[in-house]
Amino acid sequence: MALALDLSGRTALVTGSTQGIGRAIAATLAAAGARVAINGRRPEVVDSVIAELDGDLIAAPGDVTTAEGTAAVLDAVGQVDILVNNLGIFGATPALEITDEEWQRYFDVNVLSAVRLIRATLPGMTAAGWGRVLTIASDSAVVIPAEMIHYGTTKTALLAVTRGFAKEAAGTGVTVNSVIAGPTHTGGVEDFVYQLVDRSLPWDEAQREFMRLHRPQSLLQRLIEPEEIAQMVAYLASPLASATTGGALRVDGGYVDAILP
């Protein structure tokens, strides 16, 4: 039996898809036949990404951390069949130095933006009898990093958000899942690595030093490439994953030292 990830006729919205994991997810979904909305705050950047990628792509610029921006994005996309909540911020800050304002900013960007978009798109999916809601979480949701507990806490919240909305969508043909991404090689992560190791080190050495000192649990013993995350997302977005819902699926390189999830 041949297995194919065919998303023809489906429209996907990937938030924060002008770079990194989001861009890889958008490219992979488009390659599977989906019509994909590229999202970012700056229209010119969105347009440049669309010019660089192949497939049926549309521009959906807007700041989804605000109600107004979210409405503009959804107006540009129309009916959403596949929602990928990828947008997120992270950074290293000593635990006792994280201010109230920073805690609130992380919650607004990493959690509330996803909740707002799920709330807006889930009714249309359930009415149609088909849909996919996917949220990019992190190994930090399970193994809270001492250097960024505010980030880890928001990713833990996203696991709860996923499970709760999966119950809301029970029996409708809509699946709701999160993807626990491990340490991944993106431009933003390169900056983060150099916050924690010697900036004079060449990248290959810096990456190895980071994994040795700060992520020694990784069984992969390297950073994950964005395309590896995107392949899991494409599978979960496809009809092949019709019986997988309410889950937290790991693409973490074996970083989380647990049998489940």
Side-chain angles (χ1 to χ4, degrees):
M1 181 178 65
L3 300 178
L5 297 179
D6 184 6
L7 298 176
S8 301
R10 304 298 186 185
T11 295
L13 167 61
V14 184
T15 64
S17 47
T18 59
Q19 61 183 342
I21 294 173
R23 178 178 171 135
I25 291 170
T28 302
L29 295 180
R35 171 180 176 259
V36 181
I38 303 297
N39 166 253
R41 289 181 298 174
R42 297 167 56 192
E44 66 274 16
V45 175
V46 170
D47 290 342
S48 69
V49 170
I50 289 175
E52 294 166 1
L53 297 180
D54 296 324
D56 186 2
L57 306 168
I58 61 171
D63 183 357
V64 296
T65 68
T66 70
E68 297 79 8
T70 299
V73 168
L74 294 175
D75 284 346
V77 181
Q79 171 67 25
V80 175
D81 303 304
I82 301 165
L83 171 64
V84 183
N85 288 308
N86 168 74
L87 179 67
I89 55 174
F90 63 93
T93 306
L96 297 178
E97 297 178 15
I98 305 170
T99 64
D100 287 358
E101 292 76 18
E102 195 72 346
W103 274 104
Q104 188 65 57
R105 185 169 76 95
Y106 269 69
F107 184 85
D108 287 344
V109 175
N110 291 359
V111 182
L112 190 54
S113 66
V115 170
R116 187 181 293 114
L117 279 163
I118 296 171
R119 196 171 59 219
T121 58
L122 190 58
M125 295 181 192
T126 57
W130 196 96
R132 299 287 185 264
V133 176
L134 296 160
T135 298
I136 306 303
S138 167
D139 56 79
S140 296
V142 183
V143 185
I144 303 294
E147 71 275 8
M148 49 179 185
I149 64 170
H150 52 339
Y151 171 75
T153 299
T154 61
K155 291 299 182 177
T156 305
L158 287 175
L159 301 186
V161 166
T162 293
R163 185 67 184 178
F165 277 110
K167 292 179 178 180
E168 174 65 23
T172 66
V174 179
T175 66
V176 185
N177 292 289
S178 57
V179 173
I180 297 179
T184 305
H185 181 198
T186 65
V189 167
E190 287 193 18
D191 294 339
F192 175 67
V193 166
Y194 278 119
Q195 290 181 41
L196 299 175
V197 304
D198 186 350
R199 288 184 176 273
S200 68
L201 290 174
W203 169 247
D204 285 346
E205 292 182 31
Q207 175 184 182
R208 287 195 296 271
E209 185 74 352
F210 170 77
M211 297 300 288
R212 183 180 70 83
L213 293 176
H214 299 282
R215 301 294 185 268
Q217 308 98 305
S218 172
L219 303 182
L220 203 60
Q221 297 185 356
R222 65 167 173 83
L223 290 174
I224 298 163
E225 293 302 319
E227 291 74 18
E228 294 174 300
I229 309 296
Q231 288 157 13
M232 173 64 86
V233 171
Y235 164 71
L236 291 172
S238 78
L240 298 179
S242 57
T244 302
T245 191
L249 290 92
R250 290 163 53 185
V251 189
D252 67 340
Y255 175 79
V256 177
D257 191 10
I259 297 171
L260 294 173

